[in-house]
Structure formats: structure tokens, C-alpha cells
Amino acid sequence: MDFALTEEQIAIFDMAYAFGQEQIAPFAREWEAAGTIPKTLWPEVGALGFAGLYVPETSGGAGLGRLDATLVFEALSMACPSVAAFLSIHNMCAKMIDSFGSDEMKARVMPDVLTMQTVLSYCLTEPGSGSDAAALRTKAERTNEGYILNGTKAFISGGGYSDAYVCMVRTGEDGPKGVSTVLVEDGTDGLSFGALEDKMGWRSQPTAQVQFDNCNISSANLVGEEGQGFKYAMMGLDGGRLNIAACSLGAAQTALNSTLLYMGERKAFGQPIDQFQGLQFRLADMEIELQAARTFLRQAAWKLDQGAPDATKFCAMAKKFVTEAGSKVVDQCLQLHGGYGYLADYGIEKLVRDLRVHQILEGTNEIMRVIVARDMLKNR
């Protein structure tokens, strides 16, 4: 078994890392304070091919595998996990439209999606349905021209900021078979947004409810077939779980790198604190944890690329393990910085806040355990 990255994969990581350090890291705190990411950033991201990472080259995308994509998100999250995670959402939506949208929709929408002139948000969660996503209630009633939407989506990254919204709505019976996917463009009559949420982390991402009040859309904005929307939504989640794990990994690596430098400079009792064996053990434990997490994540991504029958189980396990490892590491890094770790100037407290939500979204870590346990019981 070869664990080495190819030269092309190393080049992908290096390109994403360099872009993140030059174009994102210096402004991460400023964007967090402003509560938004400048829209001027996204066309620059699109120019690198990062707006359609796993959209095939024949459709104008980068045509990368899921393992390649995790390298991009790991590298970008070393600059800011909030920005990197927002790009993951856009990519998930872009893949859904390219995979299931009509030729007319793709011709109309995808060119601007791939340059990020159009920024996409993913709308599944509702105020009354999170983990039980198939219980969503946002209604799409058929009209002669298309659909009338009524309902509310909650916790939407990019709510009121994005240019279009990939929405899961109910066109039929209760349960997953009654769910369809539609594209709702900003400015559509009946589309509105709640107040911006005041969040613990991911503060540079504008987050708000997306509201539909007799919102009229054309039948041309149906993505794929009626009744298949829940399947489309779930198909994107395996890759999304890997990406969010990669964001935890990259951010934790940055925290550890910063901590190593700090411990070499900070003195106590007449010597640098990196000379105390008890603290060296902590460093070693964090390195072991991150290397194990990286190996697990890449194995899961490889399985998804190969279409392995247990890929979903491994994506769930990797998401659970890596996001928890990342949070544990950044928390330890804050502790090793002492009081300075609690100050915004050192950047560690931001990572603690940003990574906490990774255990909740893309399926809570409790749901990841359910997925794994069900697979174990099915195959015993």
C-alpha cells in the first residue's frame, strides 16, 4: 500500500497553500470582525479551478478526485477554516447541478458557477429538521409555469450573501421519496432572509435563515427528477464530510505549528518551555493524533474515489474521528499558549471556535456513529 502523494497531488496542495497564505490568512481576522468574506475573493478562487473541483473537465471543472479535493481544503484551512469550509459548500452544490441538472440548466448556470461569479449555498436543514433531514417541510406546489415555494431553511451558510441556493423541498408525500431539489436564484420574488446569526465560530461566513413566501420559480429550475432530491442531497454528503474533516486537519496543523514556535520562544523557570518533558509528551500526542487523522482521512477519500462498498461508512468514521481530533489538538494548543492563547492576536482561540461546529454540521458526529453502527449490524 502506497501512502505517498503523487507529484501532481503535492503541486495541488502547494498551490492551495500558497494562495491561502497570500490571499486569505492576512485578512482572516479582519473578515471575521466584518462578518463577511469579500466577494472579490471568489473569482480569484475560481481562476485556480477550485470552484468545480470534482466537476469533470468535460464540463469545465477541474476533474479532481475526492482525495485531491481534501488536499485543497486541508491547505486552505491552514489559512482560515471558515473560508475553506464555505468553498466546500459551493463545490458540493456545483457537483449536484453538474450531475443532475438538465443540459439547459447547466448551460445557463455552470459557466458562472465555475468562475464563482455565481456563489452557491446548500439549503437542507430547517428549524424543525436537522439530523432527521427527510422530515423537511418546505413545500413546493406545482403551477403551470413551475413551483410556488413556502417554508424556511435554517443555519444556511451564505444566506442573504450567495447568488443562488440549491434547495431541498417537498413536492410529494412525507419521507425521503417526496423530496425534490430546486435552484432558487437571488432576487426571486418571495425569497427573503432572516437576520444574520451571531455565531461562536465561522464568523466570517454570513449565516441566516432562507425564507420562501409564495416564491415562484420556473420548472427549468428543478434539478434532476421530482422525488429524487433527498438522494441527490445525501450523495453530496460523503464528500462534504471528508472536506470538513480536512478543514479540521489543516487548522489543527496550523495551531500545532504555531505552538511549536511559541514554545521555543516562551521561557519559564530559566528555560524554553519546550524543554519540559511533560509538555514534550503533549506535543508528541498531538503529532500522533494528527498523523493518524490524516491517514484515516486519506484512506476514506481513496475509498470514495474507488467506489468501495464501504466508502460511506469510512467517510462517516473519518468525519467523526478527524473533527474530534482537530478540536482536541487546537484546545491543547491554546492550553500550551497559556493566557496568550486566549487572546485573539495569537490566532489560536479563533481556531478553537471555528472547529467546534465541524462536529455538528454535514451530519452530527452522533449521526456518524449511527451510520457506522448500522453498517456493522447489517454486515455481521
Side-chain angles (χ1 to χ4, degrees):
M1 184 179 258
D2 186 359
F3 288 93
L5 299 177
T6 65
E7 287 186 11
E8 182 181 0
Q9 289 171 327
I10 293 170
I12 290 168
F13 181 92
D14 289 346
M15 179 171 67
Y17 178 79
F19 180 84
Q21 295 304 305
E22 293 167 11
Q23 302 298 328
I24 299 174
F27 313 107
R29 282 185 61 200
E30 176 187 330
W31 296 347
E32 178 177 67
T36 193
I37 304 164
K39 282 239 179 145
T40 52
L41 175 73
W42 300 122
E44 297 180 44
V45 172
L48 294 176
F50 290 169
L53 288 169
Y54 19 83
V55 172
E57 291 181 281
T58 52
S59 298
L64 299 182
R66 296 294 181 158
L67 174 55
D68 302 327
T70 63
L71 302 176
V72 171
F73 292 110
E74 180 182 348
L76 290 178
S77 67
M78 295 179 78
C80 177
S82 174
V83 175
F86 191 83
L87 180 62
S88 172
I89 295 166
H90 174 90
N91 270 274
M92 180 164 58
C93 294
K95 177 63 174 173
M96 287 175 69
I97 294 172
D98 181 72
S99 297
F100 307 113
S102 66
D103 290 341
E104 181 278 329
M105 173 181 281
K106 288 190 282 188
R108 171 166 53 94
V109 171
M110 288 302 290
D112 283 349
V113 166
L114 294 174
T115 59
M116 292 201 79
Q117 299 297 326
T118 294
V119 175
L120 299 174
S121 283
Y122 178 88
C123 300
L124 176 62
T125 299
E126 296 184 0
S129 62
S131 294
D132 185 12
L136 65 87
R137 300 175 64 85
T138 296
K139 186 80 173 170
E141 293 186 49
R142 266 280 192 188
T143 67
N144 290 334
E145 294 78 29
Y147 300 90
I148 296 178
L149 310 183
N150 282 285
T152 301
K153 297 293 181 179
F155 306 116
I156 303 305
S157 292
Y161 169 91
S162 293
D163 302 296
Y165 301 86
V166 175
C167 306
M168 275 45 74
V169 296
R170 186 158 303 285
T171 53
E173 62 193 58
D174 289 345
K177 292 183 179 178
V179 176
S180 300
T181 299
V182 296
L183 181 70
V184 183
E185 286 136 334
D186 189 37
T188 301
D189 286 343
L191 173 66
S192 63
F193 309 96
L196 290 176
E197 305 289 2
D198 188 6
K199 309 186 299 294
M200 173 182 173
W202 276 24
R203 295 182 67 87
S204 64
Q205 285 190 31
T207 301
Q209 289 190 346
V210 176
Q211 300 161 342
F212 309 103
D213 184 13
N214 291 326
C215 178
N216 281 280
I217 62 169
S218 164
S219 57
N221 279 28
L222 176 68
V223 179
E225 302 175 19
E226 272 198 16
Q228 298 297 306
F230 191 74
K231 182 177 75 174
Y232 301 160
M234 293 301 104
M235 287 174 69
L237 284 179
D238 278 344
R241 287 163 182 163
L242 295 177
N243 293 347
I244 217 66
C247 289
S248 284
L249 182 63
Q253 187 65 62
T254 286
L256 181 54
N257 294 346
S258 298
T259 301
L260 282 167
L261 293 174
Y262 174 81
M263 291 177 68
E265 297 166 355
R266 174 70 169 166
K267 291 186 177 180
F269 306 104
Q271 61 181 334
I273 63 173
D274 62 5
Q275 296 305 300
F276 293 101
Q277 189 179 61
L279 302 188
Q280 290 176 353
F281 284 175
R282 288 200 189 187
L283 289 174
D285 286 343
M286 288 190 287
E287 175 70 1
I288 292 165
E289 194 101 8
L290 285 186
Q291 292 296 350
R294 184 172 286 111
T295 300
F296 199 176
L297 173 62
R298 292 181 181 174
Q299 182 191 25
W302 177 84
K303 281 180 174 285
L304 190 57
D305 281 333
Q306 298 299 313
D310 57 357
T312 292
K313 173 187 174 183
F314 270 77
C315 289
M317 290 194 295
K319 192 268 183 182
K320 184 267 180 195
F321 182 84
V322 180
T323 57
E324 291 180 6
S327 284
K328 190 188 306 180
V329 167
V330 295
D331 183 69
Q332 282 296 304
C333 288
L334 189 152
Q335 185 71 20
L336 289 169
H337 273 76
Y340 292 106
Y342 208 65
L343 303 180
D345 287 347
Y346 285 75
I348 303 298
E349 62 84 32
K350 175 183 181 296
L351 297 179
V352 172
R353 291 186 289 103
D354 280 346
L355 294 201
R356 183 59 185 85
V357 75
H358 293 190
Q359 297 178 54
I360 298 171
L361 47 78
E362 301 286 4
T364 66
N365 283 10
E366 288 73 23
I367 292 296
M368 297 306 99
R369 292 172 172 89
V370 170
I371 292 169
V372 173
R374 283 178 178 171
D375 186 87
M376 293 170 67
L377 295 173
K378 182 180 72 175
N379 293 301
R380 61 184 165 184

